[in-house]
Amino acid sequence: MNSKKLELKDIYLAKNNVYKIARKTPLFKSIDLSKKLSKEIYYKLEFLQDTGSFKLRGASNFALNLSENKLKNGLVTYSTGNHGRAVSHVAKELGIDAKVCLSKNVPENKKEGIRKSGGDVIVYGNSQDEAKIKADELRSKEGRSVVPPFDDPYIIAGQGTIGTEILNKIPDIDSILVPLSGGGLISGIALAVKSINPACKVYGVSMDRGAAMYESIKADKEVEVDEVDTLADSLQGGILLDNKYTFKMVKKYVDEIVLVTEDEISAAVRHIFYKDHFVVEGAAAVGTAALLSDKINNSGEKIAVVLTGKNISNEDFMSVLSQH
Ligand SMILES: *Cc1c(COP(=O)(O)O)cnc(C)c1O
């Protein structure tokens, strides 16, 4: 599949693999937020996956497309945390092992989560891009398959199953708000949505500190950004200077990229907890943050917001609750 363009068919093909390990998640109407904004707001509860984030979908599809021979040499990956945990979980399900290379910016609770899911944590470098160097080294030394975090057709198609699930439930949805980092998630969702219902708008939302895709689209080429400390730690990391898929797909399919501040993210995490009683991590709350701060124009009436993960440490969560 590597050389050809991704199509809707690839997302349908991914379903068989995704649903062997990940689950379909509910679409939950937020009564409070709907009332507050006078719209219909639906939360897609991706934090209900076994590893606490949607990353299980892409990782399952990637691994189940590898040959038996490749699988038996094990997996290796680099990650801001949630992808590493997903890869570890998939490896455990398949009875093989996984090594996860993380930069020193990855929070302790995410390392613990990876170990709990059976992965071997290796801390290397100051950014996700540097951790990738270590992963590539382990591929050549140990014959492991590298599971890319976002810029890969199987990963993108796996995450795209979120798009088909939303459209199956609400075919006339007007807009979907998607947390955006490397862009595997939004590329898959947008491919599904624009193929099935092109009128539906797809918005990417990133934090305003080190938003690699936003800066790259603005510059019309892949640019590097510094990784700065943010509550949305899962959105850190670059898009790769030799990006093959997600940069083009975001350019083609995504209607707009919106940025939110740390205070807006923190307020959104609180809002989701106080009003709907869900605990989500900063990266997952950026869609709600964009809505609450009135940054989404022309969204229409029916809006789906992807709540991507819940892997926030208790300390960070309590600190967010105490900040108003
Ligand atoms: C990885 C991740 C994202 C962003 O996904 P990309 O495919 O890198 O754009 C958003 N939210 C959470 C919780 C994540 O783990």
Side-chain angles (χ1 to χ4, degrees):
M1 179 148 88
N2 270 295
S3 58
K4 76 169 178 38
K5 238 179 67 196
L6 270 157
E7 310 168 36
L8 181 61
K9 186 182 77 182
D10 297 308
I11 295 172
Y12 282 97
L13 288 172
K15 286 186 182 196
N16 273 332
N17 296 323
V18 168
Y19 299 138
K20 276 183 188 132
I21 297 177
R23 58 170 55 95
K24 289 187 179 163
T25 59
L27 202 54
F28 168 95
K29 183 169 179 184
S30 173
I31 304 292
D32 179 86
L33 196 53
S34 299
K35 208 162 156 193
K36 188 178 172 80
L37 303 175
S38 304
K39 291 175 186 287
E40 285 178 44
I41 313 289
Y42 297 88
Y43 283 146
K44 180 70 172 156
L45 308 187
E46 277 302 300
F47 58 81
L48 293 177
Q49 300 292 352
D50 281 349
T51 59
S53 86
F54 72 89
K55 293 263 183 8
L56 209 44
R57 294 176 185 259
S60 302
N61 190 41
F62 185 93
L64 290 166
N65 273 291
L66 291 171
S67 67
E68 288 282 321
N69 239 348
K70 283 205 163 153
L71 273 179
K72 75 176 192 320
N73 289 333
L75 305 175
V76 63
T77 191
Y78 54 100
S79 165
T80 51
N82 285 337
H83 174 65
R85 183 164 177 182
V87 170
S88 304
H89 183 88
V90 168
K92 194 169 66 179
E93 290 286 309
L94 300 178
I96 57 174
D97 71 298
K99 290 188 175 173
V100 182
C101 305
L102 305 173
S103 87
K104 65 174 181 33
N105 299 341
V106 174
E108 198 51 46
N109 70 303
K110 291 220 158 86
K111 290 181 196 145
E112 267 164 45
I114 291 168
R115 292 192 190 104
K116 237 181 7 201
S117 295
D120 196 354
V121 171
I122 297 165
V123 177
Y124 184 89
N126 294 313
S127 65
Q128 178 170 265
D129 289 352
E130 287 182 24
K132 178 178 187 295
I133 298 170
K134 190 77 191 169
D136 286 335
E137 190 185 307
L138 289 168
R139 179 195 51 197
S140 7
K141 269 198 195 147
E142 301 179 4
R144 293 173 181 275
S145 297
V146 178
V147 189
F150 52 88
D151 197 30
D152 174 271
Y154 293 115
I155 297 288
I156 294 167
Q159 324 300 31
T161 55
I162 295 172
T164 52
E165 283 175 29
I166 293 172
L167 288 171
N168 283 344
K169 286 267 165 64
I170 309 180
D172 62 343
I173 193 93
D174 293 309
S175 295
I176 304 183
L177 273 52
V178 186
L180 168 59
S181 175
L185 173 65
I186 202 168
S187 295
I189 291 177
L191 171 63
V193 165
K194 299 292 180 177
S195 311
I196 300 168
N197 175 11
C200 174
K201 295 217 167 91
V202 178
Y203 296 85
V205 190
S206 301
M207 69 290 178
D208 65 359
R209 309 179 158 188
M213 187 63 83
Y214 175 85
E215 297 299 339
S216 299
I217 295 287
K218 213 168 76 176
D220 202 22
K221 64 168 194 289
E222 301 97 316
V223 296
E224 274 179 319
V225 293
D226 288 334
E227 280 193 17
V228 194
D229 199 32
T230 166
L231 185 55
D233 54 89
S234 290
L235 301 185
Q236 285 180 326
I239 66 162
L240 305 174
L241 291 180
D242 61 341
N243 187 296
K244 293 185 176 60
Y245 296 93
T246 61
F247 179 58
K248 285 194 197 88
M249 290 180 77
V250 168
K251 231 162 75 168
K252 178 166 176 196
Y253 295 120
V254 171
D255 293 278
E256 195 181 334
I257 302 176
V258 172
L259 301 183
V260 289
T261 66
E262 292 299 300
D263 283 347
E264 288 163 352
I265 297 170
S266 165
V269 170
R270 281 193 295 279
H271 188 274
I272 293 166
F273 179 65
Y274 289 150
K275 303 301 181 183
D276 290 310
H277 287 202
F278 298 136
V279 175
V280 299
E281 57 181 284
V286 295
T288 306
L291 284 173
L292 288 173
S293 52
D294 205 17
K295 290 184 175 170
I296 306 290
N297 303 312
N298 309 315
S299 62
E301 280 305 300
K302 293 184 188 178
I303 306 172
V305 182
V306 186
L307 298 186
T308 44
K310 66 171 179 190
N311 296 324
I312 184 170
S313 70
N314 292 334
E315 294 73 31
D316 285 351
F317 184 64
M318 273 163 346
S319 140
V320 165
L321 293 190
S322 67
Q323 269 168 29
H324 48 294

